[in-house]
Amino acid sequence: GSNLKFASDQIFTPVYVKDLCDVVEKIIDKNYSGVFHVASCKPTSHYDTAMRINKFFGLDREIEECSIDSFVMLEKRPKKINFDISKYKELTGFRERDIEEFLGRIKI
């Protein structure tokens, strides 16, 4: 019954677990080397993600926008935690997708 609070000022890049498995498989099969950042979705905030989930599933939840700094945590959290996947994109042609594409796969 209480409002849900999500940070709008922390940017991250979610990854769909099947995409992660596909990436690892491709890296092994193609014998790529180095460090690869993996992300499926375009950079987004937790607030934007929550709003999109709420809308996609037709939920009627009250969602409040706040700062990541408003949460009480032992350590300060960075505002930008998104990955640069350009190396992997260049090698494979992989593209980020909108979160709705993944939500459609889990919709009941």
Side-chain angles (χ1 to χ4, degrees), residues 72-86:
V72 177
M73 293 180 269
L74 294 176
E75 297 175 349
K76 189 174 177 158
R77 302 288 194 239
K79 301 266 170 103
K80 189 174 178 186
I81 56 174
N82 61 306
F83 287 125
D84 175 3
I85 67 169
S86 59

Side-chain angles (χ1 to χ4, degrees), residues 29-68:
D29 289 346
K30 299 286 186 180
N31 203 25
Y32 293 145
S33 63
V35 175
F36 293 91
H37 292 172
V38 179
S40 307
C41 297
K42 296 175 181 176
T44 187
S45 71
H46 293 280
Y47 174 76
D48 182 55
T49 301
M51 293 296 289
R52 292 165 85 175
I53 290 169
N54 204 30
K55 181 179 178 182
F56 187 88
F57 288 108
L59 305 175
D60 191 25
R61 296 301 306 258
E62 290 292 323
I63 296 175
E64 265 183 62
E65 182 177 6
C66 66
S67 170
I68 192 69

